Amino acid sequence: MKPDLEVVDVLQHESFKVWGHGYPFRTVRWHFHPEYEIQLITETSGQYFVGDYVGRFAPGNLVFMAPNMPHNWVSELPEGRTVERRNLICQFSAEFLNERILAFPEMRFLDKLMTESKRAVLFSDATGDAARPIMEELLTANGGRRVALFISLLELIAQDEQRKQLASHRFTPDPSSYMSSTINQILSYIDQNLASDLRESDVADLAGQSVTTFSRYFRKHTGMSFVQHVNTLRIHRACELLVDTGLSVADICFRVGYNNVSNFNRHFLAQKGVPPSRFRSLHQMNIVSASAVA
């Protein structure tokens, strides 16, 4: 089975993405993405799949994967039970790694680890335990502290002499083949046309499916409806514009694909808990606060 594409949106004012999610969650499926990923399990146990590797996981399970490595962690929970925070995740692009981090001669000690990550790397329980407070602080860190924590995380995992590779030598990720699947073509089309008038019926036609069939198919692969997925991406992109530009809320509304400001405000408030203008002012306050501390 070909893995699904996960669209990883690193905000324009950040170099890498750090986040966490619960279980069940929309990204818990056999998937891949063109970013490096460090993932730490903080709760639950179960079965995990990385490339052609299958193993058991528990809290403290820490894995580092190179771009395009298919993976999935399936927790074993009683039916109906949910977990608020199952894991912590750090994702970053190869461009950021090569042009920013490895540009420093002092960071070349990471070369061996980066090569090993092409088969995915599992670290010792001790390293997993040590990584947790770093990743938890990264969730809210700003400025130079955020960068320092990121580098300390890389140093920590690079020093683990008990680490081991997971996928076999014969396994090679094939992103071009993965992208030929219908769902990945659909996800790519949505991402490229987010600012346009995206209608589920039109995208269903592109997929050669009826709307009903497409709706089931899309939810199966993404864990959410077509409309939910589009709105999530649009609000995420709006956050980037609110933070990185001086565009008005109205301008941003239309740039991300909404046709009226009130509808945009409603969706933004539902997802972020504050209206767009308040989101921008809070972010600006955060920057000023961080500068004052520095």
Side-chain angles (χ1 to χ4, degrees):
M1 181 177 67
K2 291 182 180 180
D4 293 342
L5 170 68
E6 177 186 330
V7 179
V8 175
D9 283 320
V10 177
L11 295 177
Q12 292 179 4
H13 68 284
E14 295 179 342
S15 300
F16 51 91
K17 179 178 182 178
V18 181
W19 62 299
H21 64 72
Y23 187 89
F25 191 71
R26 59 181 175 77
T27 62
V28 180
R29 63 187 191 280
W30 183 235
H31 69 282
F32 76 104
H33 42 74
E35 290 79 20
Y36 284 93
E37 176 172 308
I38 301 172
Q39 178 166 187
L40 173 67
I41 297 295
T42 59
E43 191 172 347
T44 76
S45 59
Q47 206 87 30
Y48 73 115
F49 310 82
V50 180
D52 60 355
Y53 175 85
V54 180
R56 298 283 305 174
F57 73 86
N61 176 264
L62 179 66
V63 174
F64 178 38
M65 296 165 284
N68 301 313
M69 175 62 75
H71 54 278
N72 190 22
W73 274 250
V74 182
S75 295
E76 296 172 347
L77 292 177
E79 186 175 354
R81 184 188 165 194
T82 62
V83 173
E84 183 176 349
R85 172 66 59 76
R86 185 188 73 159
N87 50 0
L88 295 167
I89 299 167
C90 177
Q91 296 166 318
F92 53 94
S93 70
E95 179 183 15
F96 164 67
L97 176 72
N98 295 326
E99 297 183 6
R100 301 291 186 270
I101 301 301
L102 298 183
F104 291 97
E106 294 86 350
M107 301 301 292
R108 301 311 304 192
F109 70 88
L110 292 171
D111 286 349
K112 185 173 186 292
L113 177 63
M114 296 305 155
T115 298
E116 292 175 354
S117 72
K118 294 177 181 178
R119 289 173 49 203
V121 182
L122 172 67
F123 301 93
S124 66
D125 290 342
T127 298
D129 291 341
R132 181 166 182 171
I134 298 175
M135 297 185 73
E136 286 181 338
E137 187 177 349
L138 271 169
L139 289 170
T140 56
N142 294 293
R145 177 60 179 166
R146 190 171 190 267
V147 176
L149 286 167
F150 176 76
I151 292 176
S152 70
L153 178 61
L154 293 180
E155 287 182 315
L156 173 69
I157 62 178
Q159 292 167 1
D160 187 345
E161 296 182 355
Q162 298 180 48
R163 67 181 188 260
K164 67 176 185 179
Q165 293 173 279
L166 297 179
S168 67
H169 287 284
R170 64 179 178 273
F171 183 84
T172 302
D174 185 6
S176 60
S177 172
Y178 304 157
M179 286 304 297
S180 67
S181 70
T182 300
I183 187 61
N184 290 334
Q185 291 179 357
I186 290 168
L187 293 173
S188 179
Y189 176 84
I190 292 171
D191 188 58
Q192 293 171 20
N193 295 276
L194 202 57
S196 65
D197 184 20
L198 283 169
R199 298 178 184 273
E200 185 170 15
S201 57
D202 294 337
V203 181
D205 285 341
L206 289 174
Q209 299 174 356
S210 69
V211 174
T212 301
T213 300
F214 175 80
S215 180
R216 289 196 299 265
Y217 175 80
F218 193 86
R219 185 179 287 276
K220 175 184 175 182
H221 284 276
T222 66
M224 60 177 67
S225 71
F226 175 82
V227 172
Q228 288 174 323
H229 178 77
V230 170
N231 281 328
T232 297
L233 292 183
R234 282 176 170 166
I235 297 305
H236 184 90
R237 193 157 297 177
C239 289
E240 292 183 342
L241 294 173
L242 286 165
V243 169
D244 297 326
T245 76
L247 292 170
S248 69
V249 170
D251 285 339
I252 292 173
C253 160
F254 297 115
R255 285 200 179 202
V256 300
Y258 289 98
N259 54 20
N260 67 77
V261 176
S262 61
N263 190 36
F264 169 62
N265 286 337
R266 179 170 59 83
H267 283 289
F268 196 100
L269 180 62
Q271 287 193 39
K272 297 300 179 181
V274 293
S277 57
R278 180 61 175 161
F279 178 89
R280 172 177 270 167
S281 64
L282 287 172
H283 183 79
Q284 291 170 343
M285 288 170 56
N286 192 34
I287 293 175
V288 171
S289 175
S291 300
V293 172

